């Protein structure tokens, strides 16, 4: 641990308690478990040569990416996929509780990539966010001392042994996630702000009337005057575009997060867009202060014991 | 927001060297993502006000041209490519419904030449409905958009058709001779927009001759002499002129 002053160094490398990183990890692990467990029934059709996407097709699809090497010849059988998905579920369980945090996040990322590369056809934005945040968690796991990982069994065991470090985590472990989400919102917000459909209110109706994504159709919105659509679409587009600013200013941060929470919960209820709401909400913890993260973690069953761990090493018995 | 405020001020992690290495790594990662997200097609700039289009292209084009060769290997190695354009710029104004039509070998005395599969449901002549698991509503969207429009779309169509040929069977257990995917598009109108004359259209993907798939499990590029764009023209024409 050093002491240094410039803004760049403080932004990326300042010491953080890191409870929010632990919450993101738990949220990502739960999202991955939803994905992996729900994929079990899809193995014959999606992830085996007996399905519609043979291994050769997957190799061809990913030939430009390094992940071509994750798909060696002979790995197209259904039982290979079942074995890997079972392993992935076990690894995600370890990620959830925070055990073997040097390698488990990396294993989770690679196993997830295997399934994404094995059949990329039906991937969506939720899978993309899950994949990206898993990468950042994997990198964080490789660099950080596992005993410093917040809300983890590794840290609990270190405290019980009396060799837990006094430090928290470097800010970059959380900044990577924050910046990724900011880029996401700003990009999609920009394209919405310059789009006519988000100014005249029709975008909301089109989204809710989509037979592909909407759970209830758009008929239940017929009562709303057009001005209501305009207010909702314009505010959503500008909120997304300005998200990086709104969460960086202390006076608007909470309002921006509450707006996003409402938006993603409404999407979760009304639209069928896969993992997207889960992945996004998991990442929201990265924008909480340490104090807010602690208060939130206190409400999660099973986490209270981990959150109350002392940062300093436990005293050694005389 | 400064969550670091809860900690002792001024305490930072890592040595200077490690901080420098990580700074370069993080900076390059987000530079690569940023370059990747810049629009590369001229049409994307049409959403900008007219006076901004050409200046924006003049600024973006050299950035994309010079940086893409440097940043793409990183994106490929880490799979950090990303696309955040769902519902943007405009949500799709079209709904799509899909049908799979499968043609089965017929007996000489058969009146109907085959059976028709429609979106989630196999409509049998007997009126019995069998769920068809490959063709959920989310997937028809991907078939319609991704398989039809991406550079690799035609190959994907063939793999999908190959799976249909293997999975489908008629009540007597026979495999189909061919399959075809039909898409029915209908325009979505908000309540304040009047319906127009061009609100529906029909699209066909295929047809695919199942005999092309039956004697091989290999994809087309590994088979010498096979036209990579699909069926040989003569087969396609003969099949399209078949029982419909």
């Amino acid at each position: 641990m050093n002491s240094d002053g410039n803004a760049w160094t403080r932004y990326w490398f300042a010491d953080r308690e890191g409870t929010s990183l632990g919450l993101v990890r738990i949220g990502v692990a739960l999202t991955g478990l939803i994905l992996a467990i729900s994929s079990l029934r899809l193995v014959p059709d999606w992830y085996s040569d007996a399905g519609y996407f043979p291994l050769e097709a997957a190799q061809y699809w990913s030939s430009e990416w390094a992940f071509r090497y994750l798909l060696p010849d002979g790995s197209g059988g259904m039982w290979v996929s079942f074995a890997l998905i079972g392993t992935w579920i076990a690894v995600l369980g370890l990620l959830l509780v925070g055990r073997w945090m040097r390698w488990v996040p990396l294993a989770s990322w690679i196993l997830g990539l295997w399934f994404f590369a094995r059949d990329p056809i039906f991937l969506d934005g939720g899978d993309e966010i899950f994949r990206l945040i898993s990468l950042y968690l994997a990198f964080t796991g490789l660099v950080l001392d596992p005993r410093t990982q917040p809300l983890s069994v590794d840290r609990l065991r270190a405290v019980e042994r009396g060799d837990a470090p006094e430090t928290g985590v470097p800010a970059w472990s959380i900044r990577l996630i924050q910046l990724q989400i900011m880029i996401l919102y700003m990009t999609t917000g920009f394209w919405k702000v310059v789009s006519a459909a988000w100014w005249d209110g029709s975008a909301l109706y089109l989204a809710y009337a989509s037979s592909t994504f909407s759970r209830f159709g758009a008929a239940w919105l017929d009562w709303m005057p057009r001005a209501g659509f305009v207010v909702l679409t314009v505010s959503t587009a500008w909120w997304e575009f300005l998200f990086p600013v709104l969460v960086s200013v202390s006076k608007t941060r909470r309002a921006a997060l509450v707006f996003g929470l409402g938006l993603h919960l409404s999407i979760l209820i009304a639209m069928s867009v896969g993992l997207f709401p889960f992945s996004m909400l998991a990442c929201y913890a990265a924008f909480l202060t340490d104090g807010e993260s602690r208060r939130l973690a206190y409400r999660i069953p099973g986490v209270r014991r981990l959150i109350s761990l002392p940062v300093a090493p436990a005293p050694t018995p005389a | 927001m400064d969550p670091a405020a809860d900690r002792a001020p001024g305490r930072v992690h890592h040595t200077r060297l490690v901080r420098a290495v990580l700074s370069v790594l993080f900076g390059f990662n987000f530079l690569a993502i940023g370059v990747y997200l810049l629009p590369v097609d001229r049409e994307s700039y049409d959403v900008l006000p007219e006076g901004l289009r050409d200046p924006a292209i003049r600024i973006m084009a050299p950035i994309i041209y010079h940086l893409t060769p440097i940043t793409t290997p990183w994106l490929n190695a880490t799979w950090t490519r990303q696309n955040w354009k769902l519902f943007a710029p405009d949500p799709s104004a079209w709904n799509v419904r899909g049908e799979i039509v499968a043609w089965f070998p017929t007996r000489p005395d058969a009146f109907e030449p085959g059976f028709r599969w429609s979106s989630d449901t196999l409509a049998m002549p007997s009126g019995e409905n069998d769920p068809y698991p490959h063709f959920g509503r989310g997937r028809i969207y991907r078939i319609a958009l991704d398989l039809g429009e991406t550079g690799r779309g035609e190959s994907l169509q063939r793999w999908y058709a190959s799976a249909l040929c293997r999975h489908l069977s008629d009540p007597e257990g026979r495999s189909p001779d061919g399959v075809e995917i039909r898409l029915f598009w209908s325009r979505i109108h908000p309540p304040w927009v009047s319906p127009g004359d061009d609100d529906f259209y029909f699209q066909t993907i295929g047809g695919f001759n199942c005999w092309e798939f039956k004697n091989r499990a290999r994809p087309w590029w590994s088979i010498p002499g096979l036209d990579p764009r699909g069926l040989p023209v003569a087969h396609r024409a003969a099949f399209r002129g078949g029982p419909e």
Side-chain angles (χ1 to χ4, degrees):
Chain A
M1 185 73 68
N2 303 288
S3 186
D4 205 316
N6 70 57
W8 174 270
T9 301
R10 285 196 304 276
Y11 182 82
W12 285 105
F13 302 105
D15 185 42
R16 293 231 3 212
E17 181 187 278
T19 307
S20 56
L21 177 66
L23 288 174
V24 171
R25 189 201 80 232
I26 290 170
V28 168
L30 288 171
T31 304
L33 283 168
I34 293 170
L35 174 63
I37 291 171
S38 64
S39 296
L40 275 171
R41 66 185 173 84
L42 302 172
V43 165
D45 285 339
W46 287 35
Y47 303 115
S48 81
D49 282 344
Y52 64 85
F53 203 66
L55 180 72
E56 289 93 336
Q59 290 172 332
Y60 172 63
W61 182 275
S62 60
S63 57
E64 294 173 21
W65 296 310
F67 305 103
R68 163 70 178 80
Y69 302 104
L70 289 176
L71 302 167
D73 291 344
S75 62
M78 191 184 308
W79 295 108
V80 173
S81 297
F82 272 123
L84 286 173
I85 208 166
T87 308
W88 192 25
I89 289 170
V91 165
L92 285 165
L94 292 170
L95 185 68
L96 180 68
V97 300
R99 183 72 178 109
W100 295 308
M101 285 297 291
R102 178 80 74 195
W103 302 110
V104 158
L106 180 68
S108 173
W109 176 62
I110 291 173
L111 284 163
L113 281 184
W114 190 89
F115 283 95
F116 293 162
R118 180 64 186 83
D119 187 345
I121 291 184
F122 299 119
L123 299 180
D124 58 28
D127 299 306
E128 235 163 275
I129 273 292
F130 175 80
R131 188 187 75 228
L132 292 164
I133 304 305
S134 293
L135 168 66
Y136 296 137
L137 290 177
F139 181 76
T140 301
L142 287 175
V143 175
L144 297 193
D145 183 340
R147 298 170 302 167
T148 65
Q149 287 274 3
L151 306 183
S152 71
V153 169
D154 281 353
R155 180 158 180 81
L156 174 66
R157 288 164 60 91
V159 169
E160 288 174 349
R161 286 194 309 268
D163 66 348
E166 290 184 50
T167 63
V169 298
W172 60 257
S173 59
I174 299 163
R175 301 290 191 208
L176 291 174
I177 299 164
Q178 289 177 340
L179 282 173
Q180 179 60 64
I181 301 299
M182 288 178 182
I183 288 171
L184 184 166
Y185 276 133
M186 195 173 72
T187 305
T188 191
F190 171 78
W191 290 112
K192 290 171 182 169
V193 163
V194 296
S195 152
W198 289 87
W199 281 100
D200 68 13
S202 59
L204 182 70
Y205 190 89
L206 295 176
Y208 276 101
S210 164
S211 61
T212 302
F213 299 115
S214 179
R215 296 188 200 277
F216 312 120
W220 63 279
L221 290 170
D222 283 351
W223 61 271
M224 195 190 306
R226 186 175 177 184
F229 286 97
V230 173
V231 168
L232 288 172
T233 51
V234 170
S235 59
T236 300
W238 279 100
W239 167 80
E240 288 186 351
F241 183 51
L242 296 175
F243 184 84
V245 177
L246 294 174
V247 293
S248 300
V249 175
S250 58
K251 286 183 178 174
T252 54
R253 183 181 59 87
R254 281 192 183 186
L257 293 178
V258 169
F259 186 99
L261 185 67
L263 178 75
H264 288 295
L265 287 177
S266 67
I267 289 173
L268 179 63
I269 293 167
M271 307 204 75
S272 175
V273 287
L275 285 180
F276 189 69
F278 299 103
S279 299
M280 292 303 294
L281 291 175
C283 295
Y284 265 44
F287 296 97
L288 301 177
T289 64
D290 286 336
E292 290 166 340
S293 303
R294 274 197 306 274
R295 286 194 290 278
L296 177 60
Y298 244 84
R299 298 171 190 272
I300 301 174
V303 175
R304 186 171 301 183
R305 183 170 178 222
L306 299 175
I307 192 74
S308 60
L309 293 176
V311 172
T316 310
Chain B
M1 177 187 68
D2 185 8
D6 287 4
R7 310 291 289 170
R11 300 178 75 189
V12 294
H13 284 255
H14 311 304
T15 62
R16 277 182 188 276
L17 177 64
V18 172
R19 291 206 297 271
V21 170
L22 290 177
S23 294
V24 171
L25 185 64
F26 299 153
F28 186 73
N29 177 60
F30 288 111
L31 173 73
I33 292 171
V35 170
Y36 184 72
L37 290 172
L38 293 175
V40 293
D41 56 316
R42 194 176 180 88
E43 292 74 29
S44 296
Y45 293 88
D46 289 346
V47 298
L48 296 176
E50 202 166 334
L52 292 178
R53 283 176 205 163
D54 285 340
I57 291 172
R58 275 200 298 275
I59 293 169
M60 297 299 181
I63 293 174
I64 295 169
Y65 179 79
H66 291 294
L67 290 181
T68 297
I70 302 167
T71 54
T72 299
W74 172 257
L75 296 169
N76 289 345
T78 56
W79 205 352
T80 39
R81 294 187 193 192
Q82 47 199 282
N83 172 17
W84 307 119
K85 279 194 169 181
L86 183 64
F87 300 135
D90 297 340
S92 172
W94 292 89
N95 272 333
V96 60
R97 180 175 64 81
E99 282 186 358
I100 296 170
V101 179
W103 307 105
F104 290 96
T106 54
R107 288 188 297 257
D109 58 342
F111 179 74
E112 288 287 340
F115 302 108
R116 167 173 291 193
W117 267 257
S118 65
S119 60
D120 288 315
T121 305
L122 169 60
M124 305 287 283
S126 63
E128 177 188 353
N129 288 330
D130 288 346
Y132 182 60
H134 294 274
F135 220 46
R137 65 175 183 163
R139 300 180 199 183
I140 187 62
Y141 170 80
R142 290 305 176 93
I143 290 163
L145 298 184
D146 292 355
L147 303 198
E149 292 182 0
T150 64
R152 295 160 168 170
E154 200 151 356
S155 309
L156 290 171
Q157 291 167 13
R158 291 178 53 76
W159 291 318
Y160 193 79
S162 167
L164 292 174
C165 288
R166 280 181 278 124
H167 284 261
L168 299 179
S169 61
D170 71 1
E172 296 172 18
R174 294 175 302 179
S175 298
D177 279 345
V179 295
E180 183 172 285
I181 301 167
R182 292 178 177 180
L183 303 172
F184 300 88
W185 297 85
S186 57
R187 192 188 291 274
I188 305 168
H189 287 291
W192 55 87
V193 176
S194 304
D197 295 331
D198 57 345
D199 287 347
F200 301 94
Y201 73 93
F202 167 76
Q203 182 184 7
T204 300
I205 298 175
F208 298 96
N209 186 335
C210 290
W211 289 99
E212 285 291 329
F213 308 123
K214 278 186 177 170
N215 294 321
R216 62 185 177 86
R218 292 186 297 163
W220 57 261
W221 66 87
S222 64
I223 300 174
L226 184 67
D227 179 356
R229 292 168 299 175
L231 299 177
V233 175
H235 283 218
R236 194 181 182 106
F239 180 66
R240 296 288 288 226
E244 186 163 2

